[in-house]
Amino acid sequence: MGTTSAAPAAATSDSHPAGPAARASALPVLLGCLSDPEVRPSEFILACGDGNSRLAALHWSSWDANDAVATGYNAVNDCKPFCAAGKFHSYPVIVLLEHPHAWKHNPRVLQFTQMNLVFPGDRPEGYDRVVNIPLWN
């Protein structure tokens, strides 16, 4: 989840790291918890500290120079009675990545800086229908 190698992957792969091919086409990347650049990841950890919220089964309908859109699930630990004993619940989600900017560790690579999660049905307790998440650089 959110971890890949730096080796280029085939263009037909649904999930691959942002190797030279991605940079050549100027596609923005999504940075994982360890600053691992990815294009079209199938999974992504949102809660880097403890892994209690993650995106799974991501299917990308688009990924271009301006934005990216996927459907999948947000698996969230209810942390009841506490996180180590909690249960994960999955909620259908639409993921929108936006606002590509130069990555501070490699300014030749663009990274998405905003993630919006849209919950079309049930959602985790305390979450709004639309959640805006600024992404790290």
Side-chain angles (χ1 to χ4, degrees):
M1 288 190 214
T3 58
T4 60
S5 72
T12 58
S13 173
D14 190 43
S15 172
H16 50 62
R23 284 192 297 275
S25 65
L27 288 177
V29 299
L30 178 61
L31 294 177
C33 293
L34 301 174
S35 293
D36 45 326
E38 295 182 278
V39 174
R40 297 180 179 261
S42 60
E43 298 181 321
F44 186 78
I45 296 174
L46 293 169
C48 290
D50 56 19
N52 282 322
S53 180
R54 66 181 181 268
L55 300 174
L58 294 174
H59 297 281
W60 297 93
S61 58
S62 68
W63 189 296
D64 61 34
N66 299 309
D67 55 35
V69 179
T71 57
Y73 294 92
N74 185 192
V76 180
N77 188 345
D78 62 18
C79 291
K80 294 179 182 176
F82 51 91
C83 291
K87 181 179 175 186
F88 278 88
H89 303 273
S90 292
Y91 303 91
V93 69
I94 299 165
V95 179
L96 174 62
L97 303 177
E98 302 177 297
H99 307 296
H101 292 285
W103 180 21
K104 70 178 180 182
H105 294 292
N106 184 348
R108 294 180 300 153
V109 174
L110 296 176
Q111 69 155 121
F112 287 114
T113 61
Q114 178 73 35
M115 177 184 289
N116 300 307
L117 303 179
V118 180
F119 295 95
D122 290 341
R123 61 185 184 262
E125 185 178 325
Y127 281 46
D128 291 330
R129 178 90 35 221
V130 178
V131 177
N132 301 307
I133 303 171
L135 297 171
W136 46 89
N137 188 353

